[in-house]
Amino acid sequence: MPLSPPLRVVQWATGAVGRYSLRSLITRPEFDLVGVLVYDPDKVGQDAGTLVGLPEAGVTCTDDVDEILAMDADCVLHMPLPASYFGGNHPSDVETICALLAAGKNVITTTGFVYPKCYGPAVVERLEAACRAGGSSLHGTGINPGFMSDTLPLALTGLSSRVDHIFVRESSDFRGHPSRQIVVDLFGFTLSPKDYVTAVRPFRAYQRALFAESVQFVAENLGVTLDEVDEKDEFELAVEEFEISAGPVRAGTVCASRWMFSGLVRGRPFMTVECVYKADATRVSRWADPGFSIHIEGVPQFMVSVGEITHGLAGAAAHAVNSVAALCAAPPGIRTALDLPLATGRGTVRLA
């Protein structure tokens, strides 16, 4: 049964994506911000509105997880860095999400879980058990994964009478990305080749799992059983020093990377996702320019291109925020993009 607005929502993490989400929760009348979980000690005790450059919202940021779990909330927007970033002493994303679900809170996360079945029956049962305990639902979303590499290709196959191969490419420019944690610690830009190989190892595992979800989700919803999802990646070195928002990129350090994820059937790719990440696209000519493209090979054969999304972080946050009402109205359990109504910008239209 749909809940009556305003929906009570908690913002979990206020980093590069979470800040956009938090602004929407404060400014849109259909939401009532009831809590904010932060990781940075300097943010603890700050007013949520002040934190994102808005008037005071009357909600104080906290780092107390138990306080958040005890709150009366309809939904939690879960947007931290992947747990692998924090190391072994940090609770896993599954552990955190299960605690929130069991506490009766619907959860929308941007850390994956687009298709949790990809992680095996044990993880699925753990999540479903938490949903049953709390009468709650889980939905994973974002831009890629969460839309460009799964929901949109699936929608486009509705125009096909035969599908031979699906190719999705994302090329992103990190020139203006403000987070050093993401640009350097996760993606490995500005590091020497030796340091990059070591630093990117946990991120590689996270990326493989993340995009395997998208590929498996598309394949299984088209009735295709994959033998495996193959992953390959390579990097490019800067030929000269340049500056980006996250800091200097020196000559001879990593300035771009290319990742390929292929869902294979009898050794042949059924679906391929290519992800190109550049510290500054104006300085790196190798590989595709920023933007998205989707190729559906078959009958008919067609390509859809989307130019660079100038505020991709805002888009990822908006997709989550715009899914809140639908998830709160959904039955308990794991809910993929095909289980919910299409997320739209209802409530965001501003006419001159």
Side-chain angles (χ1 to χ4, degrees):
M1 179 179 178
L3 299 172
S4 300
L7 297 172
R8 298 159 299 177
V9 184
V10 168
Q11 178 62 48
W12 185 290
T14 58
V17 177
R19 290 175 67 87
Y20 283 107
S21 173
L22 181 56
R23 289 182 67 90
S24 292
L25 296 179
I26 292 172
T27 58
R28 289 173 58 172
E30 65 265 42
F31 302 117
D32 179 14
L33 179 70
V34 295
V36 179
L37 189 284
V38 294
Y39 289 87
D40 185 345
D42 292 338
K43 295 179 180 179
V44 175
Q46 287 194 45
D47 182 87
T50 304
L51 184 64
V52 291
L54 295 173
E56 288 193 1
V59 177
T60 302
C61 299
T62 181
D63 61 355
D64 188 337
V65 172
D66 290 333
E67 181 182 341
I68 296 294
L69 290 172
M71 285 180 178
D72 185 12
D74 300 310
C75 189
V76 174
L77 289 173
H78 177 260
M79 298 177 174
L81 289 168
S84 58
Y85 169 82
F86 296 98
N89 294 326
H90 192 80
S92 71
D93 291 322
V94 172
E95 184 178 347
T96 299
I97 289 170
C98 282
L100 291 167
L101 292 168
K105 296 163 181 59
N106 298 296
V107 176
I108 296 176
T109 182
T110 56
T111 63
F113 302 93
V114 170
Y115 194 50
K117 185 178 177 181
C118 199
Y119 298 116
V123 171
V124 170
E125 176 50 33
R126 188 175 174 189
L127 292 168
E128 290 284 10
C131 289
R132 290 193 296 271
S136 53
S137 301
L138 168 66
H139 178 59
T141 189
I143 285 186
N144 193 38
F147 186 72
M148 289 294 186
S149 61
D150 34 64
T151 306
L152 186 53
L154 269 177
L156 291 172
T157 64
L159 304 176
S160 300
S161 59
R162 191 187 79 215
V163 176
D164 297 326
H165 179 248
I166 299 171
F167 174 80
V168 179
R169 175 191 289 136
E170 169 197 0
S171 181
S172 296
D173 187 347
F174 283 73
R175 175 178 31 174
H177 201 300
S179 173
R180 188 171 176 82
Q181 288 179 313
I182 292 177
V183 175
V184 178
D185 298 342
L186 280 184
F187 283 86
F189 296 156
T190 79
L191 300 181
S192 69
K194 181 179 178 181
D195 290 342
Y196 173 86
V197 170
T198 302
V200 84
R201 190 173 294 122
F203 182 58
R204 180 179 290 113
Y206 173 71
Q207 283 280 87
R208 181 184 293 115
L210 196 65
F211 284 96
E213 286 192 66
S214 283
V215 174
Q216 291 278 13
F217 180 60
V218 172
E220 293 203 15
N221 280 289
L222 291 176
V224 175
T225 301
L226 300 177
D227 297 324
E228 62 175 318
V229 178
D230 183 54
E231 181 271 327
K232 297 177 182 177
D233 61 271
E234 55 185 321
F235 58 85
E236 180 80 346
L237 301 180
V239 297
E240 60 183 0
E241 183 170 339
F242 57 88
E243 287 281 338
I244 58 175
S245 293
V249 180
R250 294 184 170 83
T253 64
V254 175
C255 66
S257 60
R258 176 177 178 260
W259 303 70
M260 298 287 289
F261 307 92
S262 299
L264 304 178
V265 179
R266 296 187 295 276
R268 297 183 60 181
F270 164 72
M271 180 174 179
T272 304
V273 178
E274 176 188 25
C275 296
V276 174
Y277 306 119
K278 300 184 179 185
D280 183 344
T282 67
R283 302 278 189 156
V284 182
S285 58
R286 190 181 180 191
W287 302 317
D289 292 334
F292 293 87
S293 61
I294 301 172
H295 300 241
I296 308 290
E297 297 177 18
V299 180
Q301 185 162 270
F302 55 90
M303 180 181 75
V304 174
S305 296
V306 178
E308 182 181 8
I309 299 177
T310 54
H311 296 287
L313 301 174
H319 201 200
V321 172
N322 291 334
S323 300
V324 169
L327 189 68
C328 289
I334 296 168
R335 297 289 165 245
T336 71
L338 296 188
D339 298 318
L340 299 177
L342 179 68
T344 71
R346 184 182 181 90
T348 67
V349 177
R350 301 292 182 268
L351 300 177

